[in-house]
Amino acid sequence: EVGDANAACGGLLVLLQLHPAASLVEPLLLAILDGGRQLAAEGEASNQTGGEEDGLTDAARLLLSWRQPLGWLVCKCDDLAAGQRQLIGALAACAAERSALLPQAAPLLKALWQADLLQEELLLQWAAGTASTAQAQLDERLRRFAAPLVEWLQSTEPEVP
């Protein structure tokens, strides 16, 4: 069951004493997404394609609610860019294991971007295929499904801080 996202940080702190942060990103992401799928199956969540107003699926909204522990774990990686690349790679691996996640790639990546867990520049580099990864086939499948978000990001004006 999906528990309190803020309470998860304590468990992550304990796990970080035994494992590098990068190795925990994928299992945490998979647990979050599987927990959301379980809630939807039990009828405690709305339908998978709900939320037309913000373009996010329920799974994407769930990721937004877990932004603090996910962000904390990403920041604990060797560097921020490496952590963000690990997060994208973890999403690709989760989508490979759970093919139902592939059509949700754009909303999931959008949720991670909106939560400031992924920088726009790094996301666009990944989408262009300029960031080299060991899981090129997984990334390519995810890129195809993420294309609507990437096209939207490329067409928007850059935000000035």
Side-chain angles (χ1 to χ4, degrees):
E1 179 177 312
V2 177
D4 181 19
N6 293 332
C9 289
L12 289 173
L13 181 60
V14 172
L15 288 171
L16 280 173
Q17 295 174 7
L18 302 171
H19 307 282
S23 71
L24 299 174
V25 174
E26 183 179 332
L28 177 61
L29 191 61
L30 191 56
I32 292 168
L33 294 171
D34 278 351
R37 191 177 62 180
Q38 179 183 2
L39 288 176
E42 293 171 1
E44 295 177 18
S46 60
N47 66 38
Q48 290 283 21
T49 58
E52 304 290 325
E53 69 280 352
D54 61 4
L56 296 178
T57 61
D58 288 339
R61 281 190 205 86
L62 183 62
L63 281 184
L64 276 172
S65 71
W66 279 78
R67 70 180 158 264
Q68 184 177 3
L70 280 169
W72 187 77
L73 195 55
V74 166
C75 288
K76 292 290 184 181
C77 289
D78 292 336
D79 64 63
L80 188 57
Q84 291 178 9
R85 283 190 297 276
Q86 186 66 32
L87 188 56
I88 293 172
L91 183 58
C94 290
E97 286 186 36
R98 311 285 192 273
S99 61
L101 291 176
L102 269 176
Q104 297 183 48
L108 291 171
L109 287 167
K110 181 180 180 185
L112 295 172
W113 171 73
Q114 284 179 329
D116 290 328
L117 297 174
L118 293 177
Q119 294 174 338
E120 183 175 338
E121 181 180 331
L122 187 124
L123 187 55
L124 292 174
Q125 286 175 350
W126 168 80
T130 58
S132 61
T133 64
Q135 51 186 14
Q137 288 182 331
L138 294 178
D139 283 355
E140 187 55 40
R141 288 183 67 198
L142 192 65
R143 277 187 198 95
R144 284 196 309 262
F145 283 94
L149 172 66
V150 172
E151 290 169 7
W152 177 76
L153 284 173
Q154 291 171 335
S155 69
T156 61
E157 294 289 321
E159 292 181 19
V160 179

